[in-house]
Each structure stands twice: as structure tokens, then as C-alpha cells.
Short mmCIF file of all heavy atoms in Angstrom, two decimals:
data_model
loop_
_atom_site.label_atom_id
_atom_site.label_comp_id
_atom_site.label_asym_id
_atom_site.label_seq_id
_atom_site.Cartn_x
_atom_site.Cartn_y
_atom_site.Cartn_z
N MET A 1 284.28 33.33 78.33
CA MET A 1 284.06 32.08 77.61
C MET A 1 285.37 31.33 77.44
O MET A 1 286.40 31.91 77.19
CB MET A 1 283.47 32.40 76.24
CG MET A 1 283.07 31.17 75.46
SD MET A 1 282.38 31.68 73.89
CE MET A 1 282.52 30.15 73.00
N PHE A 2 285.31 30.02 77.61
CA PHE A 2 286.52 29.21 77.50
C PHE A 2 286.68 28.68 76.07
O PHE A 2 285.73 28.31 75.43
CB PHE A 2 286.43 28.03 78.47
CG PHE A 2 287.58 27.08 78.34
CD1 PHE A 2 288.78 27.35 78.96
CD2 PHE A 2 287.46 25.94 77.57
CE1 PHE A 2 289.84 26.47 78.83
CE2 PHE A 2 288.52 25.05 77.44
CZ PHE A 2 289.71 25.32 78.07
N TRP A 3 287.89 28.70 75.60
CA TRP A 3 288.14 28.02 74.33
C TRP A 3 289.54 27.40 74.39
O TRP A 3 290.41 27.85 75.12
CB TRP A 3 288.01 28.95 73.13
CG TRP A 3 288.95 30.11 73.15
CD1 TRP A 3 290.24 30.13 72.74
CD2 TRP A 3 288.66 31.43 73.61
NE1 TRP A 3 290.78 31.37 72.92
CE2 TRP A 3 289.84 32.18 73.44
CE3 TRP A 3 287.52 32.03 74.14
CZ2 TRP A 3 289.90 33.52 73.81
CZ3 TRP A 3 287.59 33.37 74.49
CH2 TRP A 3 288.76 34.09 74.32
N ASN A 4 289.71 26.36 73.64
CA ASN A 4 290.98 25.65 73.62
C ASN A 4 291.95 26.40 72.71
O ASN A 4 291.76 26.49 71.51
CB ASN A 4 290.74 24.23 73.09
CG ASN A 4 292.00 23.39 73.20
OD1 ASN A 4 293.11 23.90 73.11
ND2 ASN A 4 291.82 22.10 73.39
N LYS A 5 293.01 26.92 73.32
CA LYS A 5 293.97 27.73 72.58
C LYS A 5 294.61 26.98 71.41
O LYS A 5 294.98 27.56 70.42
CB LYS A 5 295.07 28.21 73.51
CG LYS A 5 294.64 29.31 74.44
CD LYS A 5 295.79 29.77 75.28
CE LYS A 5 295.35 30.88 76.20
NZ LYS A 5 296.43 31.36 77.04
N LYS A 6 294.78 25.68 71.60
CA LYS A 6 295.50 24.93 70.57
C LYS A 6 294.63 24.55 69.39
O LYS A 6 295.13 24.23 68.33
CB LYS A 6 296.10 23.68 71.19
CG LYS A 6 297.27 24.01 72.10
CD LYS A 6 297.84 22.78 72.74
CE LYS A 6 298.97 23.20 73.68
NZ LYS A 6 299.30 22.13 74.60
N LYS A 7 293.33 24.60 69.56
CA LYS A 7 292.48 24.10 68.48
C LYS A 7 291.74 25.20 67.71
O LYS A 7 291.06 24.91 66.74
CB LYS A 7 291.46 23.12 69.05
CG LYS A 7 292.09 21.78 69.40
CD LYS A 7 291.04 20.75 69.69
CE LYS A 7 291.69 19.40 69.96
NZ LYS A 7 290.73 18.43 70.46
N CYS A 8 291.86 26.44 68.16
CA CYS A 8 291.09 27.50 67.52
C CYS A 8 291.98 28.49 66.79
O CYS A 8 293.15 28.67 67.12
CB CYS A 8 290.24 28.23 68.55
SG CYS A 8 288.90 27.23 69.18
N ILE A 9 291.36 29.14 65.85
CA ILE A 9 292.07 30.12 65.04
C ILE A 9 291.10 31.27 64.74
O ILE A 9 289.89 31.06 64.66
CB ILE A 9 292.57 29.43 63.74
CG1 ILE A 9 293.52 30.32 62.98
CG2 ILE A 9 291.43 28.98 62.87
CD1 ILE A 9 294.20 29.59 61.84
N ALA A 10 291.65 32.47 64.60
CA ALA A 10 290.79 33.63 64.36
C ALA A 10 290.26 33.63 62.93
O ALA A 10 290.92 33.16 62.00
CB ALA A 10 291.60 34.91 64.60
N ASN A 11 289.05 34.17 62.79
CA ASN A 11 288.45 34.33 61.47
C ASN A 11 287.71 35.67 61.46
O ASN A 11 286.96 35.97 62.38
CB ASN A 11 287.47 33.19 61.18
CG ASN A 11 286.82 33.33 59.83
OD1 ASN A 11 287.50 33.48 58.82
ND2 ASN A 11 285.51 33.31 59.80
N VAL A 12 287.94 36.48 60.44
CA VAL A 12 287.28 37.78 60.33
C VAL A 12 286.01 37.64 59.50
O VAL A 12 286.05 37.15 58.37
CB VAL A 12 288.21 38.83 59.68
CG1 VAL A 12 287.49 40.17 59.57
CG2 VAL A 12 289.49 38.98 60.48
N MET A 13 284.89 38.07 60.09
CA MET A 13 283.63 38.06 59.35
C MET A 13 283.55 39.39 58.60
O MET A 13 283.25 40.44 59.18
CB MET A 13 282.46 37.89 60.32
CG MET A 13 282.46 36.51 60.97
SD MET A 13 281.15 36.30 62.17
CE MET A 13 281.96 36.87 63.66
N GLU A 14 283.82 39.32 57.34
CA GLU A 14 284.05 40.51 56.52
C GLU A 14 282.88 41.50 56.55
O GLU A 14 283.09 42.71 56.56
CB GLU A 14 284.32 40.04 55.09
CG GLU A 14 285.19 41.01 54.32
CD GLU A 14 285.37 40.54 52.89
OE1 GLU A 14 285.62 39.34 52.68
OE2 GLU A 14 285.25 41.38 51.99
N GLY A 15 281.68 40.99 56.54
CA GLY A 15 280.51 41.86 56.49
C GLY A 15 280.37 42.78 57.69
O GLY A 15 279.75 43.84 57.60
N ARG A 16 280.95 42.40 58.81
CA ARG A 16 280.84 43.21 60.03
C ARG A 16 282.02 44.14 60.23
O ARG A 16 281.95 45.07 61.02
CB ARG A 16 280.76 42.30 61.25
CG ARG A 16 279.50 41.48 61.33
CD ARG A 16 279.46 40.78 62.66
NE ARG A 16 278.32 39.90 62.77
CZ ARG A 16 278.03 39.20 63.85
NH1 ARG A 16 278.81 39.27 64.91
NH2 ARG A 16 276.99 38.43 63.88
N CYS A 17 283.12 43.84 59.58
CA CYS A 17 284.38 44.55 59.85
C CYS A 17 284.39 45.96 59.27
O CYS A 17 284.01 46.18 58.13
CB CYS A 17 285.53 43.73 59.26
SG CYS A 17 287.13 44.51 59.44
N CYS A 18 284.85 46.93 60.10
CA CYS A 18 284.94 48.33 59.64
C CYS A 18 286.40 48.72 59.39
O CYS A 18 286.70 49.89 59.18
CB CYS A 18 284.30 49.26 60.66
SG CYS A 18 285.18 49.28 62.24
N ASN A 19 287.32 47.75 59.42
CA ASN A 19 288.74 47.97 59.15
C ASN A 19 289.40 48.99 60.08
O ASN A 19 290.24 49.76 59.65
CB ASN A 19 288.94 48.38 57.68
CG ASN A 19 288.48 47.29 56.73
OD1 ASN A 19 288.94 46.16 56.80
ND2 ASN A 19 287.54 47.62 55.86
N CYS A 20 289.02 48.94 61.34
CA CYS A 20 289.61 49.87 62.31
C CYS A 20 291.04 49.48 62.68
O CYS A 20 291.77 50.26 63.26
CB CYS A 20 288.75 49.92 63.57
SG CYS A 20 288.78 48.39 64.54
N ARG A 21 291.42 48.26 62.41
CA ARG A 21 292.77 47.73 62.62
C ARG A 21 293.16 47.50 64.09
O ARG A 21 294.33 47.31 64.40
CB ARG A 21 293.84 48.62 61.94
CG ARG A 21 293.63 48.76 60.45
CD ARG A 21 294.82 49.36 59.74
NE ARG A 21 295.85 48.37 59.48
CZ ARG A 21 297.05 48.38 60.04
NH1 ARG A 21 297.36 49.31 60.91
NH2 ARG A 21 297.93 47.46 59.75
N ARG A 22 292.20 47.55 64.98
CA ARG A 22 292.53 47.27 66.38
C ARG A 22 293.08 45.86 66.53
O ARG A 22 294.00 45.61 67.30
CB ARG A 22 291.29 47.43 67.26
CG ARG A 22 290.91 48.87 67.43
CD ARG A 22 289.76 49.01 68.40
NE ARG A 22 289.13 50.30 68.21
CZ ARG A 22 288.15 50.75 68.95
NH1 ARG A 22 287.66 50.03 69.92
NH2 ARG A 22 287.62 51.93 68.71
N CYS A 23 292.48 44.94 65.83
CA CYS A 23 292.92 43.54 65.91
C CYS A 23 294.33 43.39 65.34
O CYS A 23 295.15 42.65 65.89
CB CYS A 23 291.94 42.64 65.17
SG CYS A 23 291.72 43.06 63.43
N VAL A 24 294.59 44.10 64.26
CA VAL A 24 295.91 44.01 63.62
C VAL A 24 296.98 44.50 64.59
O VAL A 24 298.05 43.90 64.74
CB VAL A 24 295.95 44.87 62.33
CG1 VAL A 24 297.33 44.85 61.70
CG2 VAL A 24 294.91 44.36 61.34
N ARG A 25 296.67 45.58 65.30
CA ARG A 25 297.65 46.17 66.22
C ARG A 25 297.87 45.33 67.46
O ARG A 25 298.98 45.29 67.99
CB ARG A 25 297.20 47.58 66.61
CG ARG A 25 297.36 48.59 65.49
CD ARG A 25 297.32 50.01 66.02
NE ARG A 25 296.06 50.31 66.67
CZ ARG A 25 295.01 50.84 66.07
NH1 ARG A 25 295.06 51.15 64.80
NH2 ARG A 25 293.91 51.08 66.75
N ILE A 26 296.84 44.66 67.94
CA ILE A 26 296.99 43.93 69.21
C ILE A 26 297.62 42.56 69.04
O ILE A 26 298.21 42.02 69.98
CB ILE A 26 295.64 43.82 69.95
CG1 ILE A 26 295.91 43.60 71.45
CG2 ILE A 26 294.78 42.67 69.40
CD1 ILE A 26 294.77 43.96 72.35
N CYS A 27 297.54 41.99 67.87
CA CYS A 27 298.07 40.65 67.67
C CYS A 27 299.60 40.67 67.67
O CYS A 27 300.21 41.30 66.83
CB CYS A 27 297.56 40.03 66.37
SG CYS A 27 298.22 38.37 66.13
N ARG A 28 300.18 39.95 68.60
CA ARG A 28 301.64 39.94 68.74
C ARG A 28 302.31 39.05 67.71
O ARG A 28 303.54 39.03 67.59
CB ARG A 28 302.02 39.43 70.14
CG ARG A 28 301.62 40.39 71.23
CD ARG A 28 301.73 39.74 72.59
NE ARG A 28 303.03 39.10 72.78
CZ ARG A 28 303.33 38.32 73.81
NH1 ARG A 28 302.43 38.06 74.71
NH2 ARG A 28 304.52 37.80 73.92
N HIS A 29 301.53 38.30 66.99
CA HIS A 29 302.11 37.32 66.06
C HIS A 29 301.98 37.73 64.59
O HIS A 29 302.32 36.96 63.70
CB HIS A 29 301.47 35.96 66.29
CG HIS A 29 301.59 35.50 67.71
ND1 HIS A 29 302.77 35.04 68.24
CD2 HIS A 29 300.69 35.47 68.72
CE1 HIS A 29 302.59 34.73 69.51
NE2 HIS A 29 301.34 34.99 69.83
N GLY A 30 301.45 38.92 64.36
CA GLY A 30 301.35 39.40 62.97
C GLY A 30 300.43 38.57 62.10
O GLY A 30 300.67 38.41 60.91
N VAL A 31 299.39 38.04 62.72
CA VAL A 31 298.48 37.15 61.99
C VAL A 31 297.57 37.93 61.04
O VAL A 31 297.32 37.51 59.90
CB VAL A 31 297.62 36.33 62.98
CG1 VAL A 31 296.56 35.52 62.25
CG2 VAL A 31 298.51 35.41 63.82
N LEU A 32 297.08 39.06 61.53
CA LEU A 32 296.06 39.80 60.77
C LEU A 32 296.67 40.92 59.94
O LEU A 32 297.70 41.47 60.28
CB LEU A 32 295.03 40.37 61.76
CG LEU A 32 294.25 39.30 62.54
CD1 LEU A 32 293.86 39.81 63.90
CD2 LEU A 32 293.05 38.83 61.76
N GLU A 33 295.97 41.25 58.88
CA GLU A 33 296.48 42.25 57.94
C GLU A 33 295.30 43.06 57.40
O GLU A 33 294.21 42.51 57.19
CB GLU A 33 297.18 41.52 56.80
CG GLU A 33 297.80 42.37 55.73
CD GLU A 33 299.13 42.94 56.18
OE1 GLU A 33 300.06 42.15 56.45
OE2 GLU A 33 299.23 44.17 56.25
N THR A 34 295.52 44.35 57.19
CA THR A 34 294.52 45.16 56.50
C THR A 34 295.17 45.72 55.25
O THR A 34 296.23 46.34 55.33
CB THR A 34 294.03 46.34 57.37
OG1 THR A 34 293.46 45.82 58.57
CG2 THR A 34 292.96 47.15 56.65
N CYS A 35 294.58 45.48 54.11
CA CYS A 35 295.10 46.08 52.88
C CYS A 35 293.99 46.12 51.84
O CYS A 35 292.89 45.60 52.05
CB CYS A 35 296.32 45.33 52.36
SG CYS A 35 295.97 43.69 51.80
N GLU A 36 294.29 46.75 50.73
CA GLU A 36 293.30 46.89 49.67
C GLU A 36 293.27 45.63 48.82
O GLU A 36 294.29 45.17 48.32
CB GLU A 36 293.65 48.11 48.81
CG GLU A 36 292.48 48.64 48.03
CD GLU A 36 292.85 49.90 47.27
OE1 GLU A 36 293.33 50.86 47.91
OE2 GLU A 36 292.69 49.90 46.04
N VAL A 37 292.08 45.08 48.70
CA VAL A 37 291.91 43.88 47.85
C VAL A 37 290.80 44.20 46.85
O VAL A 37 289.68 44.52 47.25
CB VAL A 37 291.52 42.64 48.69
CG1 VAL A 37 291.30 41.43 47.80
CG2 VAL A 37 292.58 42.34 49.75
N SER A 38 291.11 44.14 45.60
CA SER A 38 290.16 44.46 44.53
C SER A 38 289.48 45.81 44.76
O SER A 38 288.27 45.95 44.64
CB SER A 38 289.09 43.36 44.41
OG SER A 38 289.68 42.11 44.21
N GLY A 39 290.30 46.79 45.14
CA GLY A 39 289.80 48.16 45.32
C GLY A 39 289.04 48.41 46.61
O GLY A 39 288.45 49.47 46.79
N ARG A 40 289.06 47.44 47.52
CA ARG A 40 288.31 47.59 48.77
C ARG A 40 289.20 47.25 49.96
O ARG A 40 289.92 46.25 49.93
CB ARG A 40 287.12 46.61 48.75
CG ARG A 40 285.84 47.17 49.33
CD ARG A 40 284.64 46.38 48.82
NE ARG A 40 284.81 44.93 48.91
CZ ARG A 40 284.25 44.19 49.87
NH1 ARG A 40 283.50 44.72 50.79
NH2 ARG A 40 284.42 42.88 49.89
N MET A 41 289.17 48.08 51.00
CA MET A 41 289.95 47.77 52.20
C MET A 41 289.37 46.52 52.86
O MET A 41 288.16 46.39 53.01
CB MET A 41 289.91 48.94 53.19
CG MET A 41 290.70 50.15 52.72
SD MET A 41 292.40 49.77 52.23
CE MET A 41 293.15 49.51 53.83
N THR A 42 290.26 45.63 53.23
CA THR A 42 289.84 44.35 53.80
C THR A 42 290.79 43.95 54.92
O THR A 42 292.00 44.10 54.79
CB THR A 42 289.87 43.25 52.71
OG1 THR A 42 289.16 43.70 51.57
CG2 THR A 42 289.25 41.96 53.20
N THR A 43 290.24 43.46 56.01
CA THR A 43 291.05 42.91 57.10
C THR A 43 290.84 41.40 57.09
O THR A 43 289.71 40.92 57.04
CB THR A 43 290.62 43.50 58.45
OG1 THR A 43 290.81 44.92 58.40
CG2 THR A 43 291.45 42.93 59.59
N PHE A 44 291.94 40.68 57.12
CA PHE A 44 291.84 39.23 56.99
C PHE A 44 292.98 38.53 57.72
O PHE A 44 293.96 39.16 58.11
CB PHE A 44 291.83 38.83 55.50
CG PHE A 44 293.05 39.31 54.76
CD1 PHE A 44 294.13 38.46 54.56
CD2 PHE A 44 293.13 40.60 54.27
CE1 PHE A 44 295.26 38.89 53.87
CE2 PHE A 44 294.28 41.05 53.59
CZ PHE A 44 295.33 40.19 53.39
N VAL A 45 292.83 37.23 57.88
CA VAL A 45 293.86 36.40 58.50
C VAL A 45 294.90 36.08 57.43
O VAL A 45 294.66 35.27 56.54
CB VAL A 45 293.25 35.11 59.09
CG1 VAL A 45 294.33 34.20 59.66
CG2 VAL A 45 292.24 35.47 60.18
N ASN A 46 296.04 36.74 57.54
CA ASN A 46 297.06 36.60 56.51
C ASN A 46 298.03 35.45 56.81
O ASN A 46 298.55 34.83 55.89
CB ASN A 46 297.83 37.93 56.40
CG ASN A 46 298.74 37.96 55.19
OD1 ASN A 46 298.41 37.42 54.15
ND2 ASN A 46 299.88 38.61 55.33
N ARG A 47 298.28 35.22 58.10
CA ARG A 47 299.22 34.15 58.47
C ARG A 47 298.58 33.22 59.51
O ARG A 47 298.92 33.26 60.69
CB ARG A 47 300.51 34.77 59.03
CG ARG A 47 301.25 35.61 58.00
CD ARG A 47 302.56 36.10 58.57
NE ARG A 47 303.26 36.95 57.63
CZ ARG A 47 303.11 38.26 57.59
NH1 ARG A 47 302.30 38.88 58.43
NH2 ARG A 47 303.78 38.98 56.70
N PRO A 48 297.65 32.41 59.06
CA PRO A 48 296.91 31.55 59.98
C PRO A 48 297.80 30.61 60.77
O PRO A 48 297.48 30.24 61.90
CB PRO A 48 295.96 30.77 59.05
CG PRO A 48 296.54 30.89 57.68
CD PRO A 48 297.26 32.21 57.66
N GLU A 49 298.92 30.23 60.20
CA GLU A 49 299.81 29.27 60.88
C GLU A 49 300.41 29.86 62.16
O GLU A 49 300.89 29.13 63.02
CB GLU A 49 300.91 28.79 59.92
CG GLU A 49 302.00 29.80 59.58
CD GLU A 49 301.58 30.82 58.53
OE1 GLU A 49 300.43 30.80 58.07
OE2 GLU A 49 302.45 31.65 58.17
N ARG A 50 300.38 31.20 62.27
CA ARG A 50 300.96 31.83 63.46
C ARG A 50 299.93 32.06 64.57
O ARG A 50 300.28 32.45 65.67
CB ARG A 50 301.54 33.20 63.09
CG ARG A 50 302.74 33.14 62.20
CD ARG A 50 303.32 34.53 62.11
NE ARG A 50 304.40 34.63 61.16
CZ ARG A 50 305.03 35.76 60.89
NH1 ARG A 50 304.65 36.88 61.49
NH2 ARG A 50 305.99 35.79 60.01
N CYS A 51 298.67 31.87 64.27
CA CYS A 51 297.61 32.16 65.25
C CYS A 51 297.61 31.14 66.38
O CYS A 51 297.59 29.94 66.14
CB CYS A 51 296.25 32.18 64.55
SG CYS A 51 294.90 32.56 65.68
N THR A 52 297.62 31.66 67.60
CA THR A 52 297.61 30.78 68.78
C THR A 52 296.20 30.59 69.33
O THR A 52 296.01 29.86 70.30
CB THR A 52 298.48 31.37 69.90
OG1 THR A 52 297.89 32.61 70.32
CG2 THR A 52 299.91 31.59 69.45
N GLY A 53 295.24 31.32 68.78
CA GLY A 53 293.87 31.24 69.29
C GLY A 53 293.68 31.94 70.62
O GLY A 53 292.78 31.62 71.38
N CYS A 54 294.53 32.93 70.90
CA CYS A 54 294.50 33.59 72.21
C CYS A 54 293.24 34.42 72.43
O CYS A 54 292.85 34.70 73.55
CB CYS A 54 295.74 34.47 72.38
SG CYS A 54 295.72 35.95 71.33
N GLY A 55 292.62 34.87 71.34
CA GLY A 55 291.35 35.60 71.46
C GLY A 55 291.47 37.09 71.72
O GLY A 55 290.46 37.78 71.89
N LYS A 56 292.68 37.64 71.77
CA LYS A 56 292.84 39.07 72.04
C LYS A 56 292.21 39.93 70.95
O LYS A 56 291.63 40.98 71.21
CB LYS A 56 294.33 39.42 72.18
CG LYS A 56 294.91 38.95 73.48
CD LYS A 56 296.36 39.35 73.60
CE LYS A 56 296.93 38.81 74.91
NZ LYS A 56 298.37 38.93 74.97
N CYS A 57 292.35 39.49 69.74
CA CYS A 57 291.77 40.25 68.61
C CYS A 57 290.25 40.29 68.74
O CYS A 57 289.63 41.34 68.52
CB CYS A 57 292.19 39.62 67.28
SG CYS A 57 291.80 37.85 67.18
N ARG A 58 289.68 39.19 69.13
CA ARG A 58 288.23 39.15 69.28
C ARG A 58 287.78 40.07 70.41
O ARG A 58 286.76 40.75 70.32
CB ARG A 58 287.78 37.71 69.57
CG ARG A 58 286.27 37.58 69.58
CD ARG A 58 285.84 36.16 69.67
NE ARG A 58 286.05 35.61 71.00
CZ ARG A 58 285.48 34.49 71.43
NH1 ARG A 58 284.71 33.80 70.62
NH2 ARG A 58 285.73 34.04 72.63
N ALA A 59 288.55 40.11 71.47
CA ALA A 59 288.20 40.92 72.64
C ALA A 59 288.20 42.42 72.32
O ALA A 59 287.39 43.17 72.88
CB ALA A 59 289.16 40.63 73.79
N VAL A 60 289.08 42.87 71.45
CA VAL A 60 289.17 44.32 71.17
C VAL A 60 288.29 44.75 70.00
O VAL A 60 288.13 45.95 69.77
CB VAL A 60 290.62 44.78 70.89
CG1 VAL A 60 291.51 44.53 72.09
CG2 VAL A 60 291.19 44.14 69.64
N CYS A 61 287.73 43.82 69.28
CA CYS A 61 286.96 44.18 68.09
C CYS A 61 285.63 44.86 68.47
O CYS A 61 284.78 44.25 69.11
CB CYS A 61 286.68 42.95 67.25
SG CYS A 61 285.69 43.35 65.79
N PRO A 62 285.44 46.12 68.07
CA PRO A 62 284.22 46.84 68.44
C PRO A 62 282.99 46.37 67.67
O PRO A 62 281.86 46.66 68.06
CB PRO A 62 284.56 48.30 68.08
CG PRO A 62 285.54 48.19 66.97
CD PRO A 62 286.35 46.96 67.24
N GLU A 63 283.21 45.67 66.57
CA GLU A 63 282.09 45.24 65.71
C GLU A 63 281.73 43.77 65.91
O GLU A 63 280.88 43.24 65.18
CB GLU A 63 282.47 45.47 64.24
CG GLU A 63 282.91 46.88 63.89
CD GLU A 63 281.79 47.88 64.04
OE1 GLU A 63 280.61 47.49 64.05
OE2 GLU A 63 282.09 49.08 64.17
N LYS A 64 282.40 43.12 66.84
CA LYS A 64 282.21 41.67 67.03
C LYS A 64 282.36 40.93 65.69
O LYS A 64 281.55 40.06 65.34
CB LYS A 64 280.86 41.37 67.66
CG LYS A 64 280.69 42.01 69.03
CD LYS A 64 279.52 41.42 69.77
CE LYS A 64 279.21 42.10 71.09
NZ LYS A 64 280.35 42.53 71.88
N ALA A 65 283.40 41.30 64.98
CA ALA A 65 283.61 40.74 63.64
C ALA A 65 284.59 39.57 63.63
O ALA A 65 284.85 39.01 62.57
CB ALA A 65 284.12 41.85 62.71
N ILE A 66 285.13 39.23 64.81
CA ILE A 66 286.08 38.12 64.84
C ILE A 66 285.50 36.95 65.63
O ILE A 66 284.98 37.13 66.73
CB ILE A 66 287.43 38.55 65.44
CG1 ILE A 66 288.08 39.59 64.53
CG2 ILE A 66 288.34 37.35 65.63
CD1 ILE A 66 289.45 40.03 64.96
N GLU A 67 285.61 35.81 65.04
CA GLU A 67 285.20 34.58 65.72
C GLU A 67 286.42 33.67 65.78
O GLU A 67 287.36 33.81 65.01
CB GLU A 67 284.06 33.90 64.96
CG GLU A 67 284.42 33.57 63.52
CD GLU A 67 283.30 32.97 62.72
OE1 GLU A 67 282.25 32.66 63.31
OE2 GLU A 67 283.46 32.83 61.51
N LEU A 68 286.37 32.74 66.72
CA LEU A 68 287.42 31.72 66.79
C LEU A 68 286.82 30.43 66.27
O LEU A 68 285.82 29.95 66.79
CB LEU A 68 287.92 31.56 68.22
CG LEU A 68 288.68 32.78 68.77
CD1 LEU A 68 289.00 32.57 70.24
CD2 LEU A 68 289.96 33.02 67.99
N ILE A 69 287.43 29.91 65.25
CA ILE A 69 286.89 28.71 64.62
C ILE A 69 287.87 27.56 64.79
O ILE A 69 289.04 27.77 65.08
CB ILE A 69 286.60 28.93 63.12
CG1 ILE A 69 287.87 29.31 62.37
CG2 ILE A 69 285.52 29.99 62.93
CD1 ILE A 69 287.72 29.34 60.86
N GLU A 70 287.37 26.38 64.61
CA GLU A 70 288.21 25.19 64.77
C GLU A 70 289.30 25.16 63.71
O GLU A 70 289.06 25.44 62.53
CB GLU A 70 287.35 23.94 64.67
CG GLU A 70 287.88 22.79 65.48
CD GLU A 70 286.84 21.67 65.57
OE1 GLU A 70 285.68 21.95 65.91
OE2 GLU A 70 287.23 20.53 65.30
N LYS A 71 290.48 24.84 64.17
CA LYS A 71 291.62 24.75 63.27
C LYS A 71 291.55 23.43 62.51
O LYS A 71 291.26 22.40 63.11
CB LYS A 71 292.90 24.81 64.08
CG LYS A 71 294.13 25.21 63.33
CD LYS A 71 295.33 25.06 64.23
CE LYS A 71 295.77 26.40 64.78
NZ LYS A 71 296.99 26.30 65.57
N TYR A 72 291.82 23.49 61.23
CA TYR A 72 291.81 22.26 60.44
C TYR A 72 293.19 21.64 60.41
O TYR A 72 294.17 22.34 60.36
CB TYR A 72 291.35 22.54 59.01
CG TYR A 72 289.96 23.09 58.96
CD1 TYR A 72 289.72 24.43 58.69
CD2 TYR A 72 288.86 22.26 59.20
CE1 TYR A 72 288.43 24.94 58.65
CE2 TYR A 72 287.57 22.76 59.18
CZ TYR A 72 287.37 24.10 58.90
OH TYR A 72 286.11 24.60 58.89
N GLY A 73 293.23 20.35 60.44
CA GLY A 73 294.49 19.64 60.30
C GLY A 73 295.28 19.53 61.60
O GLY A 73 294.95 20.06 62.60
S1 SF4 B 101 289.04 45.00 65.21
FE1 SF4 B 101 287.20 44.12 64.22
S2 SF4 B 101 286.30 45.79 63.03
FE2 SF4 B 101 288.42 46.39 63.55
S3 SF4 B 101 289.62 45.69 61.78
FE3 SF4 B 101 289.66 44.03 63.28
S4 SF4 B 101 287.96 42.67 62.67
FE4 SF4 B 101 287.64 44.63 61.65
S1 SF4 B 102 293.67 34.86 68.25
FE1 SF4 B 102 295.54 35.83 69.11
S2 SF4 B 102 297.19 35.07 67.80
FE2 SF4 B 102 295.28 34.69 66.69
S3 SF4 B 102 294.99 36.48 65.39
FE3 SF4 B 102 293.90 36.89 67.31
S4 SF4 B 102 295.36 38.02 68.62
FE4 SF4 B 102 296.52 37.03 66.94
#
């Protein structure tokens, strides 16, 4: 599937994510983070400004929990 690298950004769909951290490890820009939030492990986009929309995180996600959404601004 084609997507415009400059206009998209990764988004983690929390309900599907099993916190395996594959996306965190593959991202070369340190965009994603897994840590405990309110007593629950959570993987999220911590540095959205660094995301290039390359889609590597989405490709490795076993739960299909990452989508590329339109970047705002
Ligand atoms: S690869 Fe997918 S399931 Fe694993 S932590 Fe990332 S978003 Fe969650
Ligand atoms: S789309 Fe690319 S740059 Fe953005 S979080 Fe995923 S792997 Fe990192």
C-alpha cells in the first residue's frame, strides 16, 4: 500500500496492542515508547515530531495495532 511519507504519522491503537515492543525496537527515530501509565503497560507515540511515516513499525506489528494517520499542521 502506498502512503505519503511526509503527511502521515504512526498511531498506536491501544486496544489491540500487546506491548511486544517490536515497533519500539525497529523505529530508528525513537518515536515509540513502552512504559507504565497509571499502573498499566502502554505503547504510544512519544515523539510524534520525529516520525517520518515510514511505516516500518506498522509492518512488524503482529497485532495490526499501528495505523498511519494524517499529520496535523
Ligand atoms: S508492535 Fe504492535 S503490538 Fe507490539 S508493541 Fe508495537 S503496537 Fe503494540
Ligand atoms: S512510521 Fe517509521 S518513523 Fe514513524 S514511528 Fe513508525 S517506524 Fe518510527
